[in-house]
Amino acid sequence: MTEEIIIAGFGGQGVLSLGQILCYGGVIEDKEVSWMPSYGPEMRGGTANCITIISDSKISSPIISKFDTLIALNQPSLDKFENSVKPGGLLIYEASTILNPPKRTDIEILPVEAANEAAKLKNTRVMNMVVLGAYLKKKPIISFDTALEALKKVLPERYHHLIPLNKQAIEKGMELAEKTANVNYQS
């Protein structure tokens, strides 16, 4: 098993931490991992993405241009990376804010209203955890329990009181992925 993912959005959306959680989870489960962030000089509002690879075998290079999965948290990221998903791959996008949904018919597309769900949980910062839950429901490359353990490593200790809320957000994302029908895939 090798899963090559690109996670992209604006700075402040939890793009990099989402990739870190997946990688820490991979390490906990004794897998090979690679995490390569890319971001502009802005702290919030600039573009950010990370290439995350999790594999049962050695990873030859962290630099890739085609991905098994794209997680797009904003329109510019969807526009930039939609064509980088391998045929048969998975594209998860934040449906509350993306106005022009993906058009491809050779991949699985999962719209997730993560921002709306995070608002319902009264903390918009857990939007990335809703997306993580949806992703793990579609591709359980690490277990739910491992994701929570990895969250403890990524989240600074002063925020550990928010772990139950993050857990709730991941569960909500899993629930949404189960309910949401695939919108385009014609295999």
Side-chain angles (χ1 to χ4, degrees), residues 117-118 120-123 126-134 144 148 151 161-176:
E117 290 303 325
K120 288 178 189 174
L121 293 170
K122 300 189 180 7
N123 189 329
V126 297
M127 184 261 294
N128 64 337
M129 294 298 98
V130 175
V131 173
L132 174 63
F144 176 79
L148 291 178
L151 176 64
H161 66 283
L162 295 173
I163 289 174
L165 175 64
N166 281 273
K167 177 183 179 194
Q168 194 177 358
I170 294 168
E171 291 168 338
K172 182 47 105 171
M174 292 178 126
E175 187 181 307
L176 288 173

Side-chain angles (χ1 to χ4, degrees), residues 27-118:
V27 168
I28 291 167
E29 292 186 1
D30 204 27
K31 296 177 179 167
E32 300 291 322
V33 302
S34 173
W35 178 77
M36 192 169 73
S38 173
Y39 46 89
E42 309 89 351
M43 285 295 284
R44 298 210 179 271
T47 59
N49 69 69
C50 66
I51 296 172
T52 302
I53 304 170
I54 301 173
S55 181
D56 291 330
S57 56
K58 296 278 185 212
I59 296 168
S60 60
S61 173
I63 301 169
I64 53 176
S65 59
K66 292 291 184 185
F67 305 94
D68 299 308
T69 300
L70 163 62
I71 297 173
L73 302 182
N74 63 15
Q75 190 71 56
S77 297
L78 176 63
D79 295 343
K80 181 175 182 177
F81 295 111
E82 178 179 354
N83 290 326
S84 299
V85 181
K86 296 173 187 173
L90 172 65
L91 190 160
I92 297 175
Y93 72 97
E94 205 301 296
S96 328
T97 58
I98 290 178
L99 301 176
N100 300 314
K103 304 274 188 263
R104 290 184 55 189
T105 58
D106 63 336
I107 59 174
E108 183 176 1
I109 297 174
L110 178 65
V112 178
E113 292 196 3
N116 290 345
E117 290 303 325

